[in-house]
Amino acid sequence: MYFKEIAKMSTLFPRLLTTAHAAMRPFHPESKRCILYIRHSSRSELLGTVVRRYWKGNIMSFTIEERGNPNTLSYRVYFKTYEGKYISPFHDIPIYADEGQNIFHMVVEVPRWTNAKMEIATKDPLNPIKQDVKKGNLRYVANVFPHKGYIWNYGAIPQTWEDPEHKDGDTGCCGDNDPIDVCEIGSRVCSRGEVIKVKVLGVLAMIDEGETDWKVIAINVDDPEAGELNNIGDVQRLKPGYLEATVDWFRRYKVPDGKPENQFAFNGEFKDKDFALATIKSTHDFWKNLISQPTNAGGLNCKNTCVSGDGSPHCCSSNEAKAVVDAHCACGQEEPIPCSVDKWFYYKK
């Protein structure tokens, strides 16, 4: 029990802590990232929402609030500032953690080794993380031997957008209408909804059903190996086989669903750091155009609480944002993951 940290939290969550017992524990012994569990004094079940706080040192960055039942269609992960203001992870979290050093924020959607296809819901108000759905069923990526689930911490860089109306000069295909994806290759397994700072190393140009779908390769700046990894060649040297496994994963992960293998621009070769930085910055420019439009483009929801001014149709007040979150039921019982998710699939390369 981390009572000093609980005491600090009492200033942020007074109503919760006056009616509940709280306990904190880190997910990992080397991590300063903890979960606050709120439990009623007379009942053992989890009350209401689950609040997670992520910070570096004593400076807290963001909070997540889970709603609905995990592993069900109702599950959502909403984001807040440390002051309790609801935000959009797509629009309100800054792209840069340190622009001068080209350090970016990454929103972790899928922790390494897990299978649930979680993603920022770009078409929902406040863009919470939720699980992708196919034909009414929750979607899980298959285990295509030898890969178990996602083989990196997977997520997106906020304030970026791959414009579906822009044909890329290198790939010959338009964007996929999503924020740019990131594969974080550090040693620590991150948590869903965690916002980390990453150093970009390179990028892979995947062609997914005729759309450009960039995959940025990056490493958490706090990773022990971050100082040694500065470009894509360093990954090839220090983590032999990882990049080849990445191409193989993206090429075949949809095959168990009856779809063809994905293709790649540049013959599946990774482009270096400078190319990746230019690609990210271009998607940031596309996002700036998106957020400045008077109407939602591409079916995307651009409501935000920090970026757009009062006169913008995309401006969302604190009360409106709270109403969006409150429309979803409190965090409840986690449902079991289907046993079929552990199945292995074998294919000749």
Side-chain angles (χ1 to χ4, degrees), residues 156-305:
I157 296 178
Q159 295 187 342
T160 62
W161 179 50
E162 296 191 52
D163 187 352
E165 299 297 323
H166 172 78
K167 181 178 284 189
D168 186 87
D170 292 307
T171 67
C173 298
C174 295
D176 70 349
N177 204 30
D178 283 325
I180 197 166
D181 297 322
V182 188
C183 303
E184 193 279 319
I185 63 171
S187 56
R188 182 171 68 84
V189 177
C190 295
S191 297
R192 182 185 304 143
E194 190 170 356
V195 181
I196 62 175
K197 301 173 183 179
V198 297
K199 177 166 59 172
V200 169
L201 306 173
V203 69
L204 177 68
M206 188 176 86
I207 309 300
D208 186 354
E209 299 183 25
E211 296 177 332
T212 302
D213 192 0
W214 296 102
K215 307 297 182 184
V216 174
I217 307 300
I219 189 165
N220 190 332
V221 296
D222 293 326
D223 191 89
E225 293 184 305
E228 300 179 72
L229 294 166
N230 297 293
N231 212 323
I232 201 67
D234 297 327
V235 182
Q236 294 168 328
R237 177 172 55 86
L238 296 174
K239 295 179 180 286
Y242 207 168
L243 296 181
E244 291 81 357
T246 295
V247 173
D248 184 61
W249 194 97
F250 281 118
R251 187 187 304 279
R252 300 192 294 157
Y253 82 101
K254 289 186 176 182
V255 173
D257 295 329
K259 294 187 176 182
E261 293 184 349
N262 284 318
Q263 303 300 312
F264 303 89
F266 310 112
N267 295 317
E269 295 180 2
F270 288 82
K271 305 303 288 184
D272 65 11
K273 178 178 181 175
D274 289 340
F275 189 100
L277 291 174
T279 300
I280 295 168
K281 290 174 183 178
S282 70
T283 62
H284 182 51
D285 289 338
F286 292 140
W287 172 83
K288 287 190 286 188
N289 292 334
L290 170 71
I291 207 72
S292 65
Q293 294 180 24
T295 59
N296 292 332
L300 304 182
N301 193 301
C302 295
K303 285 285 187 180
N304 63 84
T305 61

Side-chain angles (χ1 to χ4, degrees), residues 142-148 248 252 344-347 349:
N143 303 304
V144 180
F145 188 83
H147 311 304
K148 172 63 178 76
D248 184 61
R252 300 192 294 157
W344 284 101
F345 293 84
Y346 300 86
Y347 298 98
K349 295 184 180 180

Side-chain angles (χ1 to χ4, degrees), residues 6-298:
I6 292 171
K8 291 179 184 178
M9 283 195 173
S10 65
T11 61
L12 291 172
F13 308 106
R15 283 183 291 181
L16 286 174
L17 294 181
T18 53
T19 60
H21 292 306
M24 290 184 68
R25 68 168 184 246
F27 271 0
H28 189 280
E30 296 178 358
S31 174
K32 295 179 180 178
R33 171 176 45 82
C34 300
I35 273 191
L36 171 65
Y37 288 93
I38 310 295
R39 294 186 183 274
H40 192 275
S41 58
S42 62
R43 298 199 306 271
S44 60
E45 69 267 23
L46 190 65
L47 261 190
T49 57
V50 178
V51 181
R52 299 183 186 180
R53 306 174 68 206
Y54 303 111
W55 69 87
K56 180 180 179 181
N58 295 319
I59 303 175
M60 185 174 61
S61 298
F62 303 99
T63 300
I64 67 168
E65 183 173 314
E66 296 175 285
R67 290 278 177 149
N69 293 41
N71 305 323
T72 72
L73 293 170
S74 68
Y75 182 68
R76 302 288 186 277
V77 179
Y78 287 95
F79 287 73
K80 298 192 291 188
T81 66
Y82 69 93
E83 298 160 325
K85 181 179 182 179
Y86 290 108
I87 60 173
S88 159
F90 185 8
H91 304 300
D92 289 318
I93 296 176
I95 179 176
Y96 290 106
D98 185 339
E99 184 172 2
Q101 298 296 317
N102 282 318
I103 303 300
F104 296 87
H105 282 125
M106 171 188 172
V107 178
V108 178
E109 298 165 312
V110 186
R112 189 169 71 233
W113 310 137
T114 63
N115 296 75
K117 193 176 189 305
M118 309 298 296
E119 56 191 15
I120 293 172
T122 57
K123 298 182 180 181
D124 291 5
L126 292 183
N127 315 118
I129 291 177
K130 69 178 185 181
Q131 193 163 351
D132 191 24
V133 176
K134 181 180 180 182
K135 297 181 179 179
N137 297 314
L138 295 176
R139 187 175 170 195
Y140 296 88
V141 297
N143 303 304
V144 180
F145 188 83
H147 311 304
K148 172 63 178 76
Y150 287 75
I151 62 173
W152 348 255
N153 294 304
Y154 192 69
I157 296 178
Q159 295 187 342
T160 62
W161 179 50
E162 296 191 52
D163 187 352
E165 299 297 323
H166 172 78
K167 181 178 284 189
D168 186 87
D170 292 307
T171 67
C173 298
C174 295
D176 70 349
N177 204 30
D178 283 325
I180 197 166
D181 297 322
V182 188
C183 303
E184 193 279 319
I185 63 171
S187 56
R188 182 171 68 84
V189 177
C190 295
S191 297
R192 182 185 304 143
E194 190 170 356
V195 181
I196 62 175
K197 301 173 183 179
V198 297
K199 177 166 59 172
V200 169
L201 306 173
V203 69
L204 177 68
M206 188 176 86
I207 309 300
D208 186 354
E209 299 183 25
E211 296 177 332
T212 302
D213 192 0
W214 296 102
K215 307 297 182 184
V216 174
I217 307 300
I219 189 165
N220 190 332
V221 296
D222 293 326
D223 191 89
E225 293 184 305
E228 300 179 72
L229 294 166
N230 297 293
N231 212 323
I232 201 67
D234 297 327
V235 182
Q236 294 168 328
R237 177 172 55 86
L238 296 174
K239 295 179 180 286
Y242 207 168
L243 296 181
E244 291 81 357
T246 295
V247 173
D248 184 61
W249 194 97
F250 281 118
R251 187 187 304 279
R252 300 192 294 157
Y253 82 101
K254 289 186 176 182
V255 173
D257 295 329
K259 294 187 176 182
E261 293 184 349
N262 284 318
Q263 303 300 312
F264 303 89
F266 310 112
N267 295 317
E269 295 180 2
F270 288 82
K271 305 303 288 184
D272 65 11
K273 178 178 181 175
D274 289 340
F275 189 100
L277 291 174
T279 300
I280 295 168
K281 290 174 183 178
S282 70
T283 62
H284 182 51
D285 289 338
F286 292 140
W287 172 83
K288 287 190 286 188
N289 292 334
L290 170 71
I291 207 72
S292 65
Q293 294 180 24
T295 59
N296 292 332

